[in-house]
Amino acid sequence: MMERRAVLKGLAGLVGFGAFASFFGCRHLGDSEMADDSGRDFSINGRATLRERAAAKGIVYGAACHQRTLFSDTEFAAVFAKECGILVPEGELKWGTLRPDPNSYNFAPADWLVEFAFKNKMLFRGHTLVWHGSMPKWFPDIVTSRNAEKFLCEHIATVVGRYAGRTHSWDVVNEAILPSDGQPGGLRKTPWLNLLGPGYIDIAFRAAKEADPKALLVYNDNGLDFDTPDNEAKRMAVLRTLEQLKSAGTPVHAFGIQAHLEGDRKPFNAVRLRNFLKDVASLDLKILITEMDVIDQKLPADRAVRDRVVAGLYEDYLAAVLDEPAVIAVLTWGLSDKYSWLAKYRSRDDKAPVRPLPLDEKFQRKLSWNAMARIFDMAPRR
Ligand code: G3I
């Protein structure tokens, strides 16, 4: 094993790969597939939480959650507050939840989450102001190309303004790029693009900046992690879009990479991912890992094997991304397997419970928790 790491170090030196990531022996510098490595060591020192270990390096760790879960499951809420230094609502700040009708806002669930974060000395991030998902049913009948800008700016001013000064960051625009849609600039065909044209992105960021000058304004997207032609095309399109926004003076401060990772291992090339993040950071942007989980839908039934493969991908991926100093936060999309969106959206054919997150269904630490703890412990301090 040590010999293998020496080889990786040598390779890393060649390709400018950080010492931290190569030290961790990222098992991929090429397009290799990784099988389960039963000898892999996930040991950790001490009992400090992920929140504490990340904070010791100037990194914020946290997770998404639903208000109804934290409200009803007090045992989970206590664990969540211990392990997480930042909270993002999984659905409560989306149009579909916030806007029961064109003239009103349902802020109660999000208000409760902001209060929960404050009481537990956690940071709070907003998700998301502009997205094609979770749109209210009334939207297509009410919003037209004539009133769309007014609707968008009023929504952002009202929602961002309500939590101004108490929000670490906002996913202002989410998943706006999809090269396979064949639109100019690789933009995704969304209601906002149809209504306002490509300028909707700039409009949204400027409205958010006006409503909360202190919040970090983030462009957030997915499908960027693996060494596949579609992920590469998307990385290039995202980079071009961020360059254009920056040169137009759009107040975008950071890039959010969702990191919903497929555990069955499409080729993962740490160097390629690392270089993409370096290019993003060179635009004077911070980077957040915003929605990390490892989808185990197609992994073997054996729980020990599944947990090792999932933990290995957490460690390899985070070793690569935290080698980039511009990466300031890591959030998982949920904290416990019990409440993962994947149980419903990516369930297993064998009906076995999914295991994509750091804590199991009884809120016990798993190998993926260890993997994250090891990475935070070894990460370069920001
Ligand atoms: O709140 C209603 C409830 O009243 C109703 O009884 C129930 C009926 O099914 O639906 C509930 O709303 C659901 C909502 O989650 C809250 O649980 C919606 O149907 C369901 O579609 C929605 O799914 C969320 C999805 O985004 C769409 O908003 C998932 O929980 C959430 O994990 C997922 O998160 C997205 C990110 O926002 C963006 N990146 C991808 C990520 C995964 O798809």
Side-chain angles (χ1 to χ4, degrees):
M1 181 69 82
M2 285 316 284
E3 189 275 325
R4 184 166 160 174
R5 286 212 164 137
V7 169
L8 282 173
K9 257 193 197 314
L11 262 180
L14 281 177
V15 294
F17 200 44
F20 162 64
S22 60
F23 170 78
F24 248 85
C26 285
R27 279 131 174 91
H28 301 276
L29 288 177
D31 286 351
S32 60
E33 292 288 325
M34 182 179 107
D36 169 35
D37 180 351
S38 58
R40 189 160 177 171
D41 169 27
F42 289 106
S43 57
I44 53 154
N45 300 313
R47 296 284 304 163
T49 63
L50 293 179
R51 172 177 187 165
E52 291 162 337
R53 292 172 195 258
K57 296 303 175 68
I59 300 162
V60 181
Y61 167 73
C65 58
H66 279 296
Q67 183 267 340
R68 63 175 182 268
T69 306
L70 291 181
F71 179 75
S72 56
D73 189 335
T74 50
E75 182 195 353
F76 178 63
V79 173
F80 193 95
K82 279 209 188 79
E83 290 286 356
C84 297
I86 189 168
L87 174 162
V88 62
E90 192 163 340
E92 291 75 4
L93 285 173
K94 295 173 181 173
W95 279 67
T97 307
L98 261 184
R99 306 296 301 273
D101 63 62
N103 307 306
S104 63
Y105 292 81
N106 170 26
F107 279 122
D111 287 354
W112 190 94
L113 287 171
V114 171
E115 189 52 30
F116 178 88
F118 178 74
K119 274 190 297 196
N120 291 287
K121 298 185 176 51
M122 302 165 77
L123 296 172
F124 179 80
R125 74 180 312 263
H127 171 86
T128 176
L129 299 169
V130 180
W131 186 35
H132 59 280
S134 186
M135 292 300 277
K137 289 188 175 47
W138 53 261
F139 189 89
D141 304 330
I142 301 287
V143 182
T144 67
S145 51
R146 288 182 37 206
N147 65 17
E149 182 165 348
K150 179 172 177 293
F151 252 95
L152 178 58
C153 291
E154 274 177 5
H155 179 87
I156 293 175
T158 307
V159 177
V160 175
R162 187 180 184 87
Y163 306 115
R166 294 182 287 168
T167 309
H168 167 269
S169 54
W170 269 103
D171 288 336
V172 176
V173 175
N174 185 47
E175 300 173 18
I177 291 167
L178 187 67
S180 57
D181 266 4
Q183 296 301 299
L187 291 179
R188 182 192 294 266
K189 279 186 200 153
T190 69
W192 294 110
L193 181 69
N194 298 338
L195 289 163
L196 292 171
Y200 82 91
I201 298 175
D202 182 72
I203 291 167
F205 274 94
R206 290 182 190 278
K209 171 90 178 158
E210 193 176 329
D212 185 352
K214 290 207 179 80
L216 198 72
L217 303 181
V218 182
Y219 172 73
N220 194 49
D221 216 327
N222 59 16
L224 298 148
D225 315 290
F226 290 93
D227 200 12
T228 56
D230 61 334
N231 279 207
E232 180 61 17
K234 187 150 182 186
R235 287 190 289 267
M236 293 305 106
V238 162
L239 216 44
R240 272 195 308 275
T241 302
L242 292 173
E243 281 164 351
Q244 286 158 4
L245 290 172
K246 290 296 278 185
S247 53
T250 303
V252 49
H253 308 133
F255 173 56
I257 184 167
Q258 292 182 11
H260 291 292
L261 307 180
E262 304 278 349
D264 54 315
R265 284 310 186 112
K266 298 178 181 144
F268 172 65
N269 184 313
V271 174
R272 196 149 297 178
L273 176 66
R274 178 73 187 79
N275 289 336
F276 167 64
L277 297 181
K278 198 189 235 162
D279 291 341
V280 170
S282 71
L283 299 173
D284 190 24
L285 291 170
K286 293 296 182 194
I287 299 168
L288 296 81
I289 307 305
T290 51
E291 306 182 17
M292 190 169 185
D293 46 27
V294 177
I295 299 161
D296 67 348
Q297 184 181 43
K298 298 196 178 67
L299 290 180
D302 182 314
R303 201 161 143 156
V305 172
R306 240 191 305 156
D307 282 1
R308 276 199 301 269
V309 172
V310 166
L313 188 46
Y314 269 104
E315 190 168 290
D316 287 354
Y317 188 90
L318 289 175
V321 303
L322 289 178
D323 192 53
E324 169 51 60
V327 177
I328 58 170
V330 174
L331 290 96
T332 44
W333 203 244
L335 179 62
S336 160
D337 298 336
K338 180 175 180 182
Y339 296 117
S340 170
W341 67 291
L342 295 168
K344 177 178 172 186
Y345 288 91
R346 300 291 294 275
S347 57
R348 291 173 54 88
D349 295 344
D350 62 10
K351 304 285 178 268
V354 296
R355 294 175 63 82
L357 289 167
L359 302 185
D360 70 12
E361 72 288 355
K362 294 191 171 66
F363 317 142
Q364 298 308 303
R365 294 170 171 181
K366 295 158 57 189
L367 284 185
S368 42
W369 185 97
N370 283 36
M372 297 187 78
R374 288 161 52 84
I375 288 292
F376 291 145
D377 288 351
M378 296 295 288
R381 182 162 178 56
R382 267 74 185 133

